[in-house]
Amino acid sequence: MSRIFLSMLLLCVCALCAAEEATLHPKLEPLRPYLKYWQGDLSQPGADTKVIDRSLWSRALNGQAIKTVHSINDGQYGGESFIFWDENQQSLAYYYFTTAGFYTHGTMTFDAQVGEIIAQEKVQNNQNGITEVKSFSRIMPDGTLDVKSNYLQNGNWVEGHRATYKPVAQQQIIFK
């Protein structure tokens, strides 16, 4: 009888732990559909070289943050970010650190009507003269993730990158 009781108790504890692991800060909940592995082809039309971006969005810090990690061409370039609710700003905020030696920090909003993340960030230490980025990310009806951005570069807003990511099975995110 005690063996059955211990087994049942262990199952209940495991179920409670799994439920706890799944929680997110309420302000992060709109981002839950993004929590998966993604892969996008960033290759330019007509280019000889493929540019593949692999990323993972995951729950972090007991659900108080979302961590994103991405790597282009298995470590040629990459970055990590933490998205969290900033009580002082009353906004989603984030920091993004790159293998190129620059970092960004900004805020984001989620437009529930169109299901889009709108992010505005300041860029620090960019060697190409980029000082701000505004990006738009939306999961499309077919399940793909559409991302587009604009850069404030040398005082002028220019079109940035645009990419479509597909959900993929678990994969290794590689840094050199």
Side-chain angles (χ1 to χ4, degrees):
M1 180 76 162
S2 65
R3 187 177 260 170
I4 293 172
F5 175 76
L6 287 175
S7 296
M8 293 299 285
L9 181 62
L10 182 61
L11 284 173
C12 289
V13 169
C14 289
L16 286 172
C17 289
E20 178 64 28
E21 286 178 6
T23 61
L24 280 175
H25 187 286
K27 298 294 187 174
L28 295 171
E29 275 300 328
L31 305 183
R32 185 179 290 277
Y34 294 82
L35 301 182
K36 58 183 76 175
Y37 286 88
W38 299 94
Q39 182 170 304
D41 184 347
L42 308 181
S43 304
Q44 296 296 318
D48 294 334
T49 307
K50 281 278 195 190
V51 180
I52 304 299
D53 189 11
R54 293 183 175 92
S55 68
L56 169 62
W57 289 53
S58 61
R59 178 183 172 276
L61 303 173
N62 296 335
Q64 294 300 306
I66 290 174
K67 180 180 179 179
T68 69
V69 180
H70 82 106
S71 174
I72 295 176
N73 289 351
D74 292 330
Q76 183 178 32
Y77 170 84
E80 296 190 23
S81 64
F82 279 94
I83 304 165
F84 57 95
W85 176 253
D86 186 316
E87 195 64 39
N88 289 334
Q89 295 185 68
Q90 287 293 295
S91 177
L92 292 173
Y94 62 97
Y95 282 87
Y96 170 61
F97 302 94
T98 73
T99 60
F102 69 90
Y103 70 95
T104 73
H105 55 93
T107 59
M108 60 177 57
T109 58
F110 184 77
D111 183 339
Q113 287 188 325
V114 294
E116 183 172 62
I117 299 170
I118 303 159
Q120 181 82 37
E121 61 195 89
K122 301 285 186 188
V123 181
Q124 307 296 320
N125 304 324
N126 181 269
Q127 296 177 355
N128 297 318
I130 298 171
T131 56
E132 290 185 48
V133 176
K134 189 168 186 178
S135 64
F136 306 86
S137 303
R138 180 187 315 183
I139 296 177
M140 305 306 285
D142 66 358
T144 61
L145 172 60
D146 185 54
V147 178
K148 61 182 175 179
S149 64
N150 296 314
Y151 306 142
L152 183 60
Q153 185 174 30
N154 300 318
N156 297 308
W157 282 101
V158 297
E159 191 172 316
H161 71 277
R162 183 174 192 141
T164 300
Y165 293 79
K166 295 178 182 178
V168 293
Q170 182 176 341
Q171 58 188 339
Q172 188 175 8
I173 310 298
I174 299 171
F175 289 99
K176 292 184 178 179

